[in-house]
Amino acid sequence: MNKLQKIKNSIKKFVTSPRFSSLALMLLVGTVACLAQNTAGNYEAGTSALTTVTEEIAKYVPIVVKLCYAIAGVVAVVGAISVYIAMNNEEQDVKKKIMMVVGACIFLIAAAQALPLFFGIS
């Protein structure tokens, strides 16, 4: 009986919380918005919106690629300084630091190369 009362109290507390009411409101508004755009199977509004968003995102891909390259350069320089300091202090994990810096740079360069392919831009 005591467990049942605790469960009942926790459910009551959750339902009366502001988080639950805001979640319910967002679900209601989102559902109404989705249903309002689809009038008798006509998906032109959604299709044109997705086409517009795709074109706008495609404009930013070259900038993001250059940004990834710049971040990779900064990571390489900062990592090289960190490895140099670790080597001068004769720390034990120098190989680990080197591998982490090289891995981060390789990931950033690979991500910059794959980003245009992900969006279908050649």
Side-chain angles (χ1 to χ4, degrees):
M1 185 69 175
N2 193 14
K3 285 186 179 181
L4 185 62
Q5 188 66 26
K6 285 182 181 180
I7 293 171
K8 187 178 177 182
N9 287 340
S10 65
I11 291 173
K12 185 184 277 187
K13 188 187 290 185
F14 176 72
V15 170
T16 58
S17 71
R19 277 187 172 174
F20 179 76
S21 59
S22 64
L23 176 66
L25 179 67
M26 285 191 297
L27 286 173
L28 177 70
V29 170
T31 304
V32 170
C34 287
L35 292 175
Q37 284 189 355
N38 184 10
T39 56
N42 185 6
Y43 295 106
E44 289 180 19
T47 306
S48 63
L50 286 174
T51 304
T52 305
V53 168
T54 304
E55 291 169 357
E56 291 299 318
I57 288 176
K59 292 179 185 176
Y60 289 102
V61 170
I63 298 168
V64 175
V65 167
K66 290 178 184 175
L67 182 64
C68 284
Y69 287 141
I71 292 172
V74 170
V75 166
V77 170
V78 171
I81 293 170
S82 173
V83 167
Y84 176 76
I85 291 171
M87 289 174 74
N88 277 343
N89 291 336
E90 298 177 3
E91 293 181 13
Q92 298 296 323
D93 296 335
V94 176
K95 284 184 183 180
K96 183 178 175 182
K97 283 188 178 191
I98 293 170
M99 294 305 292
M100 287 176 56
V101 170
V102 170
C105 290
I106 290 173
F107 169 76
L108 284 167
I109 292 171
Q113 290 291 317
L115 187 66
L117 298 175
F118 181 75
F119 287 103
I121 301 168
S122 57

